[in-house]
Amino acid sequence: MNLFSAIGDFSSFFFRSIFIPWQLKHTRYRILRQVFEVGIGSLPIILIIAAFVGLVSIVQTSYQVAGTVPRYILGMTVGRMVMIELGPILTALMVSGRCASSMAAEIGTMRVTEQIDALEIMAINPHRFLSLPRIVGTFIALPVLTVIAELDALLVSGAYAHFFLDIPFGVFNYGLTHFFYAKDFFGGLVKSLFFAIVIATAGCYFGFNVRGGAREVGRAATYAVVTASILILTLDFLIALVIFG
Amino acid sequence: MIRVENLSKSFNSQVVLDDVSFCIDDGSLVVVLGPSGTGKSVLLKSILGLMSVDSGEVIFDGKSIQNATANELYEIRKQVGFVFQGTALFDSMNVAENIALPLREHTNLSSKDIRERVCHLLEVVGMEGKADLYPQSLSGGMKRLIAVARALALGPRYLFYDEPTTGLDPIMTDRVVALIKDLKKRYKNSGIVVTHDLSTAKAVGDQIYMLKKGKITKLTKIEKELYD
């Protein structure tokens, strides 16, 4: 399969999963379940990762600029870096590793055990039943996770600056708020919306396309994460070009 | 009535179905007999449009499966209950949720009515009290019975069984065979049973067809006795 037909196949899978009657009466519970599965399920790991992102950001920024610029600049630099880039992308990569693989494995197992055929026989559209809730659920959960991750990273970096770099909260906060641009924050959120789509679509797409047995299910999980990660980085660049370029 | 007309299906150069034609009359249970790997499951899935065919047509109550739109296909499938060889029960749902799924999706029944219907179906298949168990904790035979209950949920006109007794012990085999006969008597369904087990075929079938090397032939009474 060449790259263009793979992209076409992937996109057509996404549109087939979304542009169908949603039948919210039946689907809303499954969407809600995915919001919890992706959102609440990923929260502990996201909080840990975001805390370390905050710490690394403040340490490295301080190393590069300390003594050459006013101290509040650290608040500005870390804040913009986290909101524009690190928050959205690291959250997406973590969720991709955790959720795209589990979606592919779960749906792939359903494929090899004929559970997807059973849905078809019961006249239940498997895209509505399986893909739609996962895509919509991730679309809702990921931006919320991103905001939480950004807050976490900024709080931790502010605390580190206060206790270890002798930069009071007020000074750090001045840099953070005085140079806050809505475009940075919302640009990051726009990214996370696109990332959510590719994470869930990759998980479902590779799960649906499993043919064979346990080995293929494992492969599908790997392909889902690899594809989602590459797409996240590609989209990150393209969206950065459009919004910040 | 279901008419299968000149159905052919190949995988690469291997011909699995070769000009297969037969008819399932209202109220009759047709058995397709044949050794493992002859394409019996492919035949069942082709009849329901789960697999595309190379040529031929399946007519469900006058409507062609091959020319049906996705929505028409779903409407046709609502009239069919299908018992998979591997049961295909949803392992993320318990027994009650498995049976209730088609009811929740296609009817406006209240939760109480659905619960009652599920209990009734469990009673029909002799699995009372198992509603809250998950498929992982059931034996192969019990799963098969639950799969039958799920297939019955919407009160289908047609019941399809894919190797309903394969892998079961003799006692469970007798139980499943008795259930298939009982359901036919009780609900007057038409249907198709594919199996490689001649005794099951003789016990449940009104007509028996033999599928071998892609070709299908109807067995006469004398041939059935000869197979004995």
Side-chain angles (χ1 to χ4, degrees):
Chain A
M1 192 186 280
N2 67 41
L3 181 67
F4 290 108
S5 77
I7 292 171
D9 212 28
F10 190 84
S11 316
S12 122
F13 179 89
F14 169 71
F15 290 121
R16 254 184 297 149
S17 302
I18 289 295
F19 293 107
I20 48 174
W22 282 26
Q23 299 182 8
L24 271 178
K25 184 187 157 205
H26 303 301
T27 316
R28 66 181 174 203
Y29 168 72
R30 282 193 288 278
I31 292 176
L32 209 59
R33 220 175 87 175
Q34 289 303 320
V35 172
F36 277 90
E37 184 81 23
V38 175
I40 306 293
S42 306
L43 195 55
I45 186 75
I46 292 298
L47 287 175
I48 293 168
I49 298 290
F52 282 102
V53 166
L55 288 172
V56 170
S57 304
I58 189 73
V59 168
Q60 294 204 347
T61 310
S62 155
Y63 165 71
Q64 290 174 61
V65 301
T68 59
V69 291
R71 291 183 302 170
Y72 65 80
I73 291 292
L74 259 78
M76 178 206 82
T77 313
V78 171
R80 297 190 72 183
M81 201 158 65
V82 165
M83 278 187 281
I84 294 173
E85 188 61 30
L86 294 178
I89 196 134
L90 287 172
T91 307
L93 288 173
M94 284 314 299
V95 171
S96 144
R98 191 183 163 273
C99 300
S101 56
S102 85
M103 287 175 193
E106 188 181 348
I107 296 175
T109 306
M110 290 183 75
R111 168 65 78 195
V112 298
T113 54
E114 294 184 309
Q115 292 176 48
I116 293 180
D117 285 346
L119 287 173
E120 284 277 7
I121 297 282
M122 284 191 259
I124 299 169
N125 185 329
H127 290 287
R128 180 176 63 75
F129 194 83
L130 297 170
S131 315
L132 177 67
R134 282 167 175 78
I135 294 172
V136 176
T138 311
F139 192 79
I140 295 168
L142 191 65
V144 178
L145 275 177
T146 304
V147 173
I148 292 171
E150 288 171 0
L151 282 174
D152 182 27
L154 292 177
L155 278 174
V156 170
S157 56
Y160 185 90
H162 180 81
F163 292 112
F164 297 99
L165 301 176
D166 200 23
I167 302 171
F169 274 124
V171 174
F172 185 86
N173 195 37
Y174 173 80
L176 192 65
T177 51
H178 198 72
F179 295 93
F180 173 81
Y181 298 104
K183 187 181 168 187
D184 297 351
F185 176 71
F186 289 109
L189 282 191
V190 168
K191 281 184 186 180
S192 74
L193 291 174
F194 280 94
F195 296 162
I197 290 172
V198 297
I199 290 169
T201 308
C204 297
Y205 173 79
F206 286 100
F208 263 84
N209 284 298
V210 167
R211 297 285 179 276
R215 201 166 73 162
E216 283 72 20
V217 173
R219 274 188 191 157
T222 308
Y223 289 151
V225 177
V226 171
T227 307
S229 304
I230 291 171
L231 287 175
I232 285 168
L233 293 167
T234 312
L235 281 174
D236 186 39
F237 168 65
L238 294 175
I239 297 167
L241 268 185
V242 173
I243 299 179
F244 307 109
Chain B
M1 188 171 77
I2 302 171
R3 282 204 331 269
V4 178
E5 294 177 349
N6 311 107
L7 219 57
S8 293
K9 170 85 182 167
S10 305
F11 292 105
N12 300 321
S13 60
Q14 190 193 357
V15 179
V16 180
L17 303 175
D18 185 6
D19 207 23
V20 168
S21 297
F22 64 96
C23 184
I24 304 170
D25 294 318
D26 287 339
S28 99
L29 203 54
V30 165
V31 173
V32 176
L33 189 64
S36 297
T38 45
K40 302 188 295 296
S41 299
V42 172
L43 174 63
L44 275 191
K45 289 182 179 176
S46 302
I47 290 174
L48 285 169
L50 275 182
M51 269 186 185
S52 60
V53 292
D54 301 336
S55 62
E57 209 170 8
V58 178
I59 314 284
F60 250 86
D61 298 325
K63 279 183 195 156
S64 165
I65 286 276
Q66 277 65 34
N67 299 328
T69 61
N71 283 341
E72 287 170 343
L73 204 54
Y74 280 154
E75 285 308 313
I76 290 170
R77 286 178 185 160
K78 282 181 194 168
Q79 301 175 46
V80 178
F82 194 108
V83 181
F84 285 84
Q85 184 176 354
T87 72
L89 293 175
F90 301 110
D91 41 27
S92 58
M93 301 178 192
N94 66 21
V95 165
E97 288 164 344
N98 261 283
I99 300 171
L101 181 63
L103 296 167
R104 288 194 201 289
E105 290 285 328
H106 299 306
T107 69
N108 291 319
L109 291 176
S110 66
S111 295
K112 184 173 166 273
D113 291 341
I114 288 176
R115 186 80 195 171
E116 277 171 14
R117 174 94 178 129
V118 168
C119 289
H120 167 71
L121 290 168
L122 285 173
E123 206 178 299
V124 168
V125 299
M127 294 291 285
E128 303 93 325
K130 305 281 191 250
D132 296 325
L133 296 179
Y134 278 81
Q136 300 90 301
S137 57
L138 300 173
S139 71
M142 290 158 92
K143 281 186 198 169
R144 210 65 65 90
L145 297 173
I146 300 299
V148 173
R150 187 178 68 180
L152 290 169
L154 290 175
R157 285 187 61 201
Y158 303 100
L159 271 173
F160 285 31
Y161 301 89
D162 188 1
E163 300 278 10
T165 56
T166 299
L168 302 184
D169 62 69
I171 295 170
M172 191 51 94
T173 299
D174 286 349
R175 196 169 159 188
V176 170
V177 167
L179 178 64
I180 293 172
K181 285 158 75 174
D182 176 51
L183 292 177
K184 186 173 170 273
K185 207 181 331 176
R186 196 194 285 234
Y187 298 115
K188 311 265 183 286
N189 311 104
S190 315
I192 179 165
V193 179
V194 304
T195 180
H196 65 265
D197 179 19
L198 186 64
S199 57
T200 302
K202 285 179 66 181
V204 302
D206 297 317
Q207 299 164 63
I208 301 180
Y209 290 87
M210 171 71 100
L211 184 66
K212 205 173 175 185
K213 292 181 181 168
K215 295 277 186 192
I216 200 161
T217 41
K218 190 173 181 178
L219 295 189
T220 63
K221 198 178 169 189
I222 299 167
E223 284 170 322
K224 277 188 248 172
E225 279 164 11
L226 278 174
Y227 270 103
D228 253 350

